Amino acid sequence: MKTTRLIILFFYLWLGISQAYAEYFRRIGLAEGMSSPSVMAIYQDQLGRMWFGTREGINLYDGGQITVFKGWMRVSEQDTASVWLGNEVSAITGDRNGDVYFLIDDTLFKYFLRSGRFQPLSSSDVSVLASFEGDIWYIRYDSLFHLKNGSEKAEMAFSLKGKPVVTCLTVKRNHIYVGTRNGLLVIDRRMPFGQKHLLEGTDIYSIFESSEGELWIGTRMHGLYRMDSRGKISKVPHLQNSPEGISSEQIRDFVEDDQGNVWFGTFDGLYEWHASTGQYRLIQIPHYMGGLSHSSIFSLYKDKQGTLWVGSYYGV
């Protein structure tokens, strides 16, 4: 029987969830060198190392130790110049060349994997960051920019109508989904002047497209929505202690495991939507394993081995 492994950052190592839901945890936290208990972004580079974005800098985990990058940092080991990295890391992704990109204090940074050098690519006011097929996308003010083939010079791809306050970005082959404080913008890449505005009045927090082509839409305070491949939107019922719905109205990040199950973080904890049953399950972390003092989950990531990494906000 194939199992799903989860690692919960600040944290617990969840080594094996079977269909019987047996869990085993190993604690990872400040004692192991993390700079902050608030993990807002997770990414694995081509060397297999894990990058964690926190409210107090970047944390790089090589499987044995954690290295922290924050504040003033030398550009590289060979260069005496320094660069201001800032503190709060809200997004991490990578390009086809293996270089890693960070959104830190609203500024875009690039980390060159081969030289170990950090370089700022923008001034401030970058709101969101994403990647698709090895290219980097980001939004600055009301414009969507595209970095192609590892280029450090961005091209403006689209201008967003209405100058929205942007909160998240998901790029796919045919569509670009932009979450805003006032609903969801859908850009058809085949018809760049056609932009749909859906869920007006809703503060969107995260957007995820599953392997089945279904869009999962998390909101800041208005629950969870799902949009099927035909564009029909439905809201997941707000239900306490029921597998037919969820208890939280605050939905954060999403990830899909190797079995097609969709996991998402909420204010109440980690949820799993089981693909074979269509039911929802709130994961309970036993207090005898150290449990979280606050259940709020903000970041999720699946690594190359199929392990799911789960970042919490407040720690223990």
Side-chain angles (χ1 to χ4, degrees), residues 118-177:
F118 287 95
Q119 177 180 321
L121 296 186
S122 76
S123 56
S124 59
D125 300 311
V126 175
S127 54
V128 293
L129 171 66
S131 63
F132 178 68
E133 295 185 340
D135 286 346
I136 303 300
W137 298 76
Y138 65 91
I139 292 177
R140 186 166 184 254
Y141 298 120
D142 59 348
S143 297
L144 178 63
F145 291 89
H146 186 190
L147 288 168
K148 297 181 180 179
N149 299 318
S151 171
E152 295 163 31
K153 184 176 181 180
E155 300 177 5
M156 194 184 84
F158 301 101
S159 179
L160 304 178
K161 295 180 179 178
K163 297 184 178 181
V165 178
V166 175
T167 57
C168 55
L169 172 68
T170 296
V171 179
K172 293 299 177 182
R173 184 175 301 278
N174 294 326
H175 294 90
I176 296 173
Y177 304 101

Side-chain angles (χ1 to χ4, degrees), residues 4-266:
T4 299
R5 296 177 30 158
L6 294 97
I7 297 177
I8 299 187
L9 302 172
F10 199 69
F11 262 13
Y12 307 86
L13 177 61
W14 219 332
L15 287 175
I17 294 187
S18 69
Q19 290 184 352
Y21 303 130
E23 294 109 0
Y24 172 75
F25 302 88
R26 178 171 67 86
R27 173 80 175 274
I28 305 173
L30 295 179
E32 287 70 41
M34 290 291 294
S35 63
S36 167
S38 299
V39 180
M40 314 303 290
I42 308 170
Y43 179 75
Q44 184 180 36
D45 67 23
Q46 290 187 358
L47 300 179
R49 303 175 301 178
M50 301 302 300
W51 296 83
F52 309 131
T54 77
R55 295 175 66 87
E56 293 293 337
I58 302 165
N59 291 243
L60 174 59
Y61 179 57
D62 63 6
Q65 65 180 13
I66 294 172
T67 303
V68 176
F69 305 92
K70 63 174 290 188
W72 285 103
M73 296 294 301
R74 289 175 60 185
V75 173
S76 70
E77 293 182 0
Q78 296 76 31
D79 198 328
T80 58
S82 296
V83 62
W84 173 254
L85 281 182
N87 293 290
E88 186 163 349
V89 186
S90 55
I92 312 173
T93 192
D95 66 18
R96 60 172 50 86
N97 299 320
D99 297 325
V100 186
Y101 296 75
F102 304 87
L103 184 55
I104 311 175
D105 295 341
D106 302 324
T107 299
L108 180 63
F109 287 87
K110 181 177 182 177
Y111 172 83
F112 293 85
L113 190 70
R114 290 157 184 81
S115 66
R117 176 171 60 90
F118 287 95
Q119 177 180 321
L121 296 186
S122 76
S123 56
S124 59
D125 300 311
V126 175
S127 54
V128 293
L129 171 66
S131 63
F132 178 68
E133 295 185 340
D135 286 346
I136 303 300
W137 298 76
Y138 65 91
I139 292 177
R140 186 166 184 254
Y141 298 120
D142 59 348
S143 297
L144 178 63
F145 291 89
H146 186 190
L147 288 168
K148 297 181 180 179
N149 299 318
S151 171
E152 295 163 31
K153 184 176 181 180
E155 300 177 5
M156 194 184 84
F158 301 101
S159 179
L160 304 178
K161 295 180 179 178
K163 297 184 178 181
V165 178
V166 175
T167 57
C168 55
L169 172 68
T170 296
V171 179
K172 293 299 177 182
R173 184 175 301 278
N174 294 326
H175 294 90
I176 296 173
Y177 304 101
V178 181
T180 78
R181 291 288 179 91
N182 183 34
L184 174 67
L185 299 179
V186 182
I187 301 171
D188 190 331
R189 297 182 64 179
R190 299 160 296 184
M191 301 173 58
F193 296 104
Q195 297 182 24
K196 295 181 181 178
H197 191 180
L198 308 175
L199 296 174
E200 291 188 50
T202 304
D203 190 346
I204 308 296
Y205 192 88
S206 58
I207 306 165
F208 172 76
E209 186 179 61
S210 73
S211 60
E212 298 296 322
E214 183 178 25
L215 206 66
W216 294 69
I217 305 165
T219 74
R220 197 174 301 272
M221 294 295 294
H222 296 92
L224 174 63
Y225 292 85
R226 295 169 63 177
M227 184 169 71
D228 64 23
S229 58
R230 300 184 303 273
K232 181 181 178 180
I233 298 177
S234 59
K235 185 175 183 180
V236 174
H238 181 255
L239 299 171
Q240 297 287 341
N241 304 316
S242 171
E244 305 303 319
I246 60 176
S247 63
S248 181
E249 294 279 59
Q250 300 180 44
I251 313 299
R252 281 71 180 261
D253 209 1
F254 297 88
V255 73
E256 183 175 342
D257 66 24
D258 289 340
Q259 291 76 48
N261 306 313
V262 176
W263 302 73
F264 52 98
T266 77

